[in-house]
Amino acid sequence: MASMARARPTLLLPHDPQGSRLAVVFPGQGSQYAGMADPWLTHEAGRFVLEECSSAVGLDLVEICRDGDALARTDLVQPAQFACDVAAFRVLESEAVQPVVVAGHSLGEYAALVAAGVLDLQSTARAVAERGAATHEAAISHPGAMTALVGVSPEDAADLCRTAGRGDVLAVANENSTSQTVLSGTVAAIERAEALARTRNVKAVRLKVEGAFHSPLIQPALDRVRRAIAGLEFREPRFAVIPNASGRPTTSPHEIRDLLGRQLMSPVRWSRTMESLADFAVDTVIEAGPSDVLTRLARRSIPGARAVAVGSPEDARSVMARQATAP
């Protein structure tokens, strides 16, 4: 581990004209696919992360990543996804990535905090495993679903949510962009929302998740998740992080801890996160992990910025080689 350690870069704020303008973002649950860990096994830094996380949680995360049925279970996919996200970042670090700011979507926020040096790898892996187990149990005891509304403003999505709720739990879970909002709630309420969306010529896409995350239905998991967070040591970040619950950058460990404690029940304010990245004048957004969902959102949300997904060591080398030669 010592051989891979790097000196912490000076925190670069958005007004620093000499600073790097690169952001790294981390996908969350729902981005997984069978075999997603395999590319990182070919690189020493990625393999190290997968082994450390597997040891920390007492699971063979590589084998879980190869099993599509296992990846459908929240308690198994969350530590597996977390490990792959961090593995991607460690490989990028080996290629000399120097972000000015990081952010992660829902579960991805934990990987972002490890990347920023706020949290250490093994204790965070254990906290993520506890989060996965708690939310898995809550999803079973309080069944629900999630659906993405595409091509609708946040205001219209919120109005559709209020109209379709009819006394059932139905909430805005993810504010992904100015044209995409995810709703979370009971199955009946989600079905009404999807039917209402069709009458308004709004596309609704049911998400392949186990429960109604970021809604009151996940409340039974809250105490366990907060206890897991309370057991973590929060340190000064190497660079700014953007918590989901605020969508605004911070370098305060106290604020980061507080907002992470709110995250489970709060909407993921990703659209606001993209605004914050634009305020940093980032010219490149790298998505570290097994997805390009955040890459596509960044391309639509940050005019002029280059957005790329890194799902393998080859991607990391290619991206950083191009970054080194960029004007």
Side-chain angles (χ1 to χ4, degrees), residues 105-106 146 172-176 180-183 207 214 267-268:
H105 194 285
S106 192
M146 302 177 75
V172 171
N174 303 340
E175 300 168 352
N176 282 340
Q180 185 189 118
T181 300
V182 175
L183 303 185
L207 302 189
H214 298 285
V268 175

Side-chain angles (χ1 to χ4, degrees), residues 140-153:
I140 291 173
S141 62
H142 294 73
M146 302 177 75
T147 193
L149 304 180
V150 182
V152 63
S153 71

